[in-house]
């Protein structure tokens, strides 16, 4: 009906991403539906998209590293590995992120750009942010379960403080694509 984007349809579908994508593909091929451009699409040009992807890498890398740092400070090096193993298990649920999110939650911006540009343009940002938000949410929930809500609040405070500095580097792009809104919404969910 021209009101929803493909990522929005995939997100609300109860059939799952693959089945929904396949159904939409078949409908397009049969001429029953057609792809249209919505007015004022938030589609970045190549350079702008690369800047946005590097900012995403820096922001989420910072979030994971802050979480790791505080967990390690609370638990010490030995017991810290318990939560780190939980993080690795969560990361493995998102194959796309498996090679991007390195040890200690570091994300290499150039590597993320290379990998993300291999994804279909229409789904690229949605798929990347969906996976990173889910991973961050699950990691913070696991941390809350093990260390308590006060520690999670402390982690979220530190993440916001450090992420704000990163996002201030490119405020125009951040606002244009609502990266800040999306990121802070994820932190509120926990």
């Amino acid at each position: 009906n021209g009101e929803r984007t493909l990522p929005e349809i995939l997100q609300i579908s109860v059939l799952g991403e693959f089945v929904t994508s396949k159904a939409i593909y078949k409908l397009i091929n049969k001429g029953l539906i057609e792809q249209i451009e919505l007015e004022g699409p938030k589609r970045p040009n190549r350079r702008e998209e690369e800047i946005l992807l590097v900012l995403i890498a820096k922001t989420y890398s910072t979030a994971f590293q802050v979480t790791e740092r505080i967990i390690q400070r609370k638990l010490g090096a030995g017991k810290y590995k318990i939560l780190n193993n939980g993080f690795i298990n969560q990361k493995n649920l998102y194959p796309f992120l498996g090679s991007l999110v390195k040890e200690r939650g570091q994300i290499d911006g150039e590597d993320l750009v290379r990998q993300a540009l291999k994804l279909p343009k229409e789904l690229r940002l949605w798929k990347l942010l969906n996976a990173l938000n889910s991973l961050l949410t699950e990691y913070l929930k696991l941390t809350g379960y093990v260390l308590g809500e006060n520690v999670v609040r402390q982690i979220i405070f530190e993440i916001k403080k450090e992420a704000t500095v990163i996002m201030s580097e490119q405020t125009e792009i951040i606002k244009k694509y609502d990266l800040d809104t999306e990121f802070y919404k994820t932190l509120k969910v926990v």
Side-chain angles (χ1 to χ4, degrees), residues 1-9 12 36 38:
N1 63 6
E3 292 181 15
R4 290 199 173 112
T5 64
L6 180 59
E8 289 171 333
I9 293 169
I12 63 172
I36 63 166
L38 299 176

Side-chain angles (χ1 to χ4, degrees), residues 86-98 131 134-135 138:
F87 175 71
I88 291 168
N89 290 337
Q90 288 296 322
K91 185 178 80 165
N92 290 336
L93 295 175
Y94 305 96
F96 172 70
L97 295 179
S134 296
L135 181 60
E138 291 305 315

Side-chain angles (χ1 to χ4, degrees), residues 140-159:
L140 290 172
K141 284 181 181 178
L142 177 63
T143 302
Y145 179 73
V146 174
L147 296 175
E149 293 304 312
N150 287 337
V151 173
V152 172
R153 279 194 280 278
Q154 178 187 2
I155 291 170
I156 290 172
F157 175 78
E158 290 296 321
I159 289 173

Side-chain angles (χ1 to χ4, degrees), residues 25-43:
Y25 176 77
K26 286 182 179 181
L27 290 170
I28 290 172
N29 279 343
K30 290 182 179 184
L32 298 172
I33 62 172
E34 64 184 24
Q35 181 178 350
I36 63 166
E37 289 291 325
L38 299 176
E39 281 187 28
K42 293 182 182 178
R43 291 223 177 148

